Amino acid sequence: MTMNGIHTNDEGQTGLKIIIVGAGIGGLSAAISLRKQGHDVVVFESSRFATELGAAIHVPPNAHGLLKRMGITPSQSGANPCNRVTTYAPNGRKLVSADTIAAGKIWQHEWVLGHRVKVHNALKETALKLGTQLNLANAVSEVNPEDGTVTLSDGSTHQADVVVGADGVHSVTRNTVVPGHPKPFSSGKSAFRFLIPKQAVLDDPQTRPYAEADGELAMVIGEDRRLVMYPTSDNTLLNFVCIHPENETSSASSGDWNNEATKDMLLTVYKNFHEDFLAILKKADEKSLKIWRLMDMAVLPSWARGRLALLGDAAHPFLPHQGQGAAVAMEDAAALGTVLERDLGRNEVQDRLLLYQDIRKSRADTLQEYTRTAGRDDAVGKVDMQKYMAFNFGHDEFDNAAQRLREWRWARQPTSYWRMPVAFGPMPGPRQTHGGESRDGTKSTFVTASIKIKTSRTVLQNLFPPGSKQWRFKSPGTVAYCSFSQTTLDGMEWLGGSGYNHLGLYIHGVEYVKADGSVTSGVYMPILFESLTDPIVSGREELGMPKLYSAIDVGRSANSYTITASWRGRTWGHFEWNDLQEDDISNVAGKMTGDDADNGILVQRYIPSVGRELKGQAEAEYTVFDDFGGAVPTPKPERTWSTKNARFLIDAGSWKTLPTLHHIITRLAEIPVYEVVVAKVVSGTGVPDVSEAVRI
């Protein structure tokens, strides 16, 4: 539910209170992501947004998709596709020209070139529409990461559950996360930045060829300096970034974006470039010509401390050589918004911020290093730019962070059961919820109908696992006992309150002798048929139970009980209990094996190896024991009936009528009936989850 636009949980508590320091592209992206999760977001920005930087911005595929998720379509703000990349030598010779339209079809989202102010404004408008509180001209002077207290330059304090440091390359919050960390330093390069109307270049016959193609990014790469030109604002403006040795313009440049420069400085730096390029540079409007020193910084050992986490340039200042600085800040914001999910408790914040760091740091550090490498003077021809582009563009941080959050949750459920398909995480089932918690089977119901017979020991022992010498009967006699027992389960929490039927053969009085000579006694179950896929898969994979599918239909009247087992309409088993009489419940345990004296079930687990050459070989084969003494919950019989008038008929059919079961039903049909010892029906509550089954 929401209250005044702010999310509240079922207890009426609002979402997390989050303070973001800085309202640049990273900070506003974070505000949007966090508001979409229902959190209360306040942004403090030191500036008044009075003089935004008039420059273009790369919106590569990895950022384009994130903007769309935020509800922002860059093309609606004039961003145009990057259709071609052309490289020139300083003498004017064209080195290479690559069509990026065809190559870009492998990316889900386009690589577009936008106007920085328009992208920033779109983010600001979206954040405000979502209910973000934006406070301008409010500089943050100090942050206490342990309690989330933020102190402004006017001395006022504000407290939050989370503080996000998105305050750029000269971050105040960074030193709080890593006290004493070296400050950003000059990379040795500075850059001019300015815009020229495209029409001005088209109107000059000398410069026209460099602007005729829409969406063309052109680079002139010199020995120690570069000129980068690309269009924006629906191909009406040309953006220039002119990177050069810092010492040639050090008097004018700093680490800030908006240092004014002169056209004479620009033309002097590029005086040895071809006259065509100089003719373009002469068209720069000196009033909009800016210069800034390109800053770098040593990799931070940590981005998070207590309730404070860094984002964007505060965590990883980017050089401009690959146009990924803003994109990576948006990725940070997407990851942060994903891990600080809706309904998150305040006590979970610090763990989630460390998870955010773990998700983002490796990629950001790698991208940062790629950018440094791509900007080296000797990088041309020595850097695999296709590799870099694939790493940069081929990433969706929203989906990546969502998966990392899932895996983080799974890792914190060490007792969870896993079974195929593992790609989707631990499986909910009879022994656990989707969150790994144990199921409650106390209110589930059971009805067990069993027929126990005296029969041939030698026939039954032929159903022991073939080749094993470790199985035997307790009694040396030639008679033995087994039960056909069918149970109907209902009210199963893990099946949404419904149930299913199972029918098994249980061979009583069996012993398994381990290699050390110790003995485990129990009832041996060579086969269990079930009427629903989910418990079959769960029982086979989690417990090693020998389960197969069969339709099992139950009919019941006042004093009779019938069971019909079939496969795709072909009946193979019919069981009847007639003249049932209700008995005293006091001495009935309600075990599903047909004999209250049984202490547990023995089964043989077998997992085949994969591969034609390994046919008939086991990947794993061992014995499993389910000890009834540890059953949770303990079954509670409530009523019981018995009869001396019970019978069953098993018809094995043929391979054609029972193509997957014939070999099994044939063996069941061979079991002789010397005597029906007991036939009964027991109903009650409490269905064990069989989680006590162990390998022996």
Side-chain angles (χ1 to χ4, degrees):
M1 59 182 289
T2 58
M3 182 175 59
N4 298 325
I6 298 175
H7 173 74
T8 60
N9 60 25
D10 291 339
E11 288 75 35
Q13 180 183 355
T14 62
L16 295 173
K17 174 70 178 293
I18 298 177
I19 290 176
I20 298 176
V21 183
I25 284 176
L28 292 174
S29 297
I32 293 168
S33 296
L34 293 164
R35 277 299 299 154
K36 284 179 174 288
Q37 291 285 27
H39 302 306
D40 182 3
V41 179
V42 178
V43 180
F44 291 112
E45 164 60 40
S46 60
S47 76
R48 295 185 180 275
F49 290 163
T51 54
E52 295 302 331
L53 182 67
I57 182 175
H58 280 262
V59 183
N62 52 306
H64 196 167
L66 298 179
L67 283 172
K68 287 182 177 179
R69 285 187 183 274
M70 288 185 255
I72 297 169
T73 303
S75 61
Q76 293 178 352
S77 300
N80 47 255
C82 181
N83 296 331
R84 177 171 292 276
V85 176
T86 302
T87 305
Y88 297 91
N91 62 9
R93 181 168 60 92
K94 185 182 290 187
L95 301 176
V96 65
S97 186
D99 178 1
T100 58
I101 299 176
K105 290 181 179 179
I106 67 172
W107 315 116
Q108 180 183 355
H109 306 286
E110 284 185 299
W111 175 10
V112 299
L113 308 167
H115 195 289
R116 190 177 190 92
V117 172
K118 292 180 179 179
V119 172
H120 186 268
N121 284 342
L123 289 167
K124 179 172 63 176
E125 291 169 9
T126 302
L128 291 173
K129 285 180 181 177
L130 289 172
T132 300
Q133 300 175 49
L134 179 58
N135 297 278
L136 302 180
N138 279 275
V140 171
S141 59
E142 186 179 346
V143 177
N144 183 329
E146 305 309 324
D147 64 7
T149 300
V150 170
T151 303
L152 302 184
S153 55
D154 63 7
S156 62
T157 61
H158 305 264
Q159 193 165 33
D161 302 312
V162 181
V163 179
V164 180
D167 48 344
V169 65
H170 300 295
S171 170
V172 171
T173 58
R174 181 192 302 126
N175 193 56
T176 303
V177 174
V178 187
H181 187 269
K183 294 182 178 181
F185 56 87
S186 171
S187 67
K189 301 284 184 174
S190 289
F192 295 99
R193 197 158 199 168
F194 54 94
L195 294 167
I196 296 177
K198 183 179 179 180
Q199 194 61 44
V201 179
L202 289 173
D203 289 344
D204 184 341
Q206 181 182 7
T207 59
R208 172 186 291 273
Y210 301 96
E212 286 181 317
D214 284 346
E216 181 177 29
L217 186 154
M219 293 184 290
V220 186
I221 301 180
E223 190 173 305
D224 62 352
R225 62 202 67 208
R226 300 179 185 186
L227 187 159
V228 182
M229 174 180 72
Y230 57 88
T232 183
S233 300
D234 291 322
N235 286 287
T236 62
L237 293 173
L238 293 175
N239 180 74
F240 289 82
V241 181
C242 304
I243 301 170
H244 58 278
E246 176 199 336
N247 57 13
E248 297 186 18
T249 55
S250 56
S251 61
S253 63
S254 75
D256 294 322
W257 286 75
N258 288 328
N259 300 284
E260 294 183 357
T262 66
K263 190 181 297 186
D264 285 342
M265 293 170 60
L266 173 66
L267 296 174
T268 298
V269 168
Y270 291 94
K271 62 185 178 182
N272 294 324
F273 274 34
H274 191 273
E275 60 184 16
D276 289 354
F277 303 134
L278 292 175
I280 295 174
L281 296 180
K282 287 177 183 178
K283 301 180 189 301
D285 181 356
E286 193 165 77
K287 294 179 181 179
S288 67
L289 186 59
K290 306 295 181 181
I291 188 172
W292 89 101
R293 187 179 300 154
L294 303 185
M295 306 298 289
D296 202 350
M297 189 181 76
V299 172
L300 286 175
S302 175
W303 292 9
R305 179 184 172 193
R307 299 187 175 277
L308 170 63
L310 303 178
L311 176 152
D313 281 354
H316 44 70
F318 263 70
L319 297 170
H321 305 299
Q322 290 192 296
Q324 280 286 330
V328 176
M330 292 182 213
E331 289 185 351
D332 292 346
L336 189 64
T338 300
V339 301
L340 297 180
E341 60 194 319
R342 188 177 293 266
D343 295 326
L344 188 71
R346 190 175 190 273
N347 60 336
E348 300 177 81
V349 164
Q350 297 187 45
D351 284 344
R352 293 300 179 93
L353 294 184
L354 292 175
L355 172 61
Y356 156 74
Q357 171 185 292
D358 188 52
I359 291 172
R360 290 296 305 149
K361 193 173 185 306
S362 176
R363 174 170 166 80
D365 290 349
T366 300
L367 273 164
Q368 203 172 20
E369 185 56 35
Y370 280 179
T371 300
R372 292 188 188 103
T373 303
R376 291 202 314 249
D377 292 338
D378 62 350
V380 179
K382 297 181 181 180
V383 173
D384 186 349
M385 293 306 296
Q386 292 298 320
K387 170 187 172 183
Y388 284 13
M389 184 176 291
F391 184 83
N392 296 352
F393 291 2
H395 185 83
D396 186 316
E397 186 52 61
F398 182 87
D399 290 336
N400 176 66
Q403 179 63 14
R404 293 289 299 275
L405 176 58
R406 290 187 195 100
E407 294 175 358
W408 181 81
R409 285 201 192 97
W410 299 339
R412 294 165 74 88
Q413 298 171 201
T415 59
S416 291
Y417 288 92
W418 286 73
R419 60 177 184 269
M420 295 187 292
V422 296
F424 302 93
M427 294 285 284
R431 283 157 287 284
Q432 67 179 21
T433 66
H434 66 277
E437 299 88 4
S438 296
R439 293 281 188 185
D440 179 11
T442 56
K443 297 180 181 178
S444 300
T445 65
F446 67 88
V447 179
T448 297
S450 58
I451 300 175
K452 182 178 180 181
I453 64 171
K454 179 191 290 187
T455 185
S456 166
R457 187 203 73 191
T458 54
V459 171
L460 293 181
Q461 72 184 14
N462 288 339
L463 295 176
F464 289 163
S468 174
K469 304 298 183 183
Q470 297 172 282
W471 296 81
R472 70 189 185 193
F473 281 97
K474 290 181 181 179
S475 170
T478 55
V479 297
Y481 298 87
C482 69
S483 295
F484 285 98
S485 184
Q486 183 276 323
T487 297
T488 296
L489 302 174
D490 205 1
M492 306 292 285
E493 182 187 45
W494 75 284
L495 294 175
S498 65
Y500 62 98
N501 298 322
H502 64 68
L503 167 65
L505 172 65
Y506 300 89
I507 301 175
H508 306 286
V510 175
E511 294 181 334
Y512 176 79
V513 184
K514 293 190 286 186
D516 62 3
S518 59
V519 174
T520 300
S521 300
V523 55
Y524 170 54
M525 183 178 71
I527 180 65
L528 183 66
F529 298 100
E530 292 188 338
S531 63
L532 188 64
T533 302
D534 301 86
I536 293 173
V537 173
S538 170
R540 286 176 69 97
E541 296 196 10
E542 293 174 15
L543 306 174
M545 297 292 172
K547 296 184 175 186
L548 289 176
Y549 170 77
S550 181
I552 302 170
D553 297 305
V554 177
R556 188 171 187 180
S557 66
N559 60 356
S560 68
Y561 203 91
T562 61
I563 296 167
T564 302
S566 62
W567 184 86
R568 305 193 74 172
R570 173 52 165 86
T571 298
W572 60 261
H574 183 77
F575 303 79
E576 292 185 5
W577 291 255
N578 296 304
D579 303 324
L580 287 165
Q581 299 294 319
E582 189 162 5
D583 298 326
D584 181 7
I585 194 66
S586 59
N587 296 318
V588 176
K591 295 180 180 177
M592 297 182 185
T593 58
D595 191 332
D596 286 344
D598 294 327
N599 65 323
I601 297 176
L602 287 160
V603 298
Q604 185 74 355
R605 184 177 201 183
Y606 180 92
I607 302 173
S609 294
V610 176
R612 185 186 301 273
E613 70 284 359
L614 298 176
K615 286 177 66 175
Q617 298 184 36
E619 186 76 27
E621 185 175 13
Y622 53 84
T623 302
V624 173
F625 181 61
D626 173 31
D627 187 353
F628 290 163
V632 178
T634 302
K636 296 181 179 179
E638 295 174 349
R639 299 182 71 181
T640 183
W641 300 261
S642 65
T643 181
K644 295 182 179 179
N645 184 7
R647 61 176 181 163
F648 62 89
L649 174 66
I650 295 178
D651 180 1
S654 66
W655 282 113
K656 184 176 182 179
T657 58
L658 293 173
T660 63
L661 298 180
H662 179 63
H663 63 303
I664 297 172
I665 308 304
T666 298
R667 300 290 296 280
L668 299 183
E670 292 175 354
I671 300 173
V673 180
Y674 297 164
E675 177 188 346
V676 174
V677 178
V678 63
K680 61 183 178 180
V681 177
V682 181
S683 67
T685 58
V687 177
D689 63 7
V690 201
S691 59
E692 295 301 313
V694 295
R695 176 177 177 168
I696 61 171

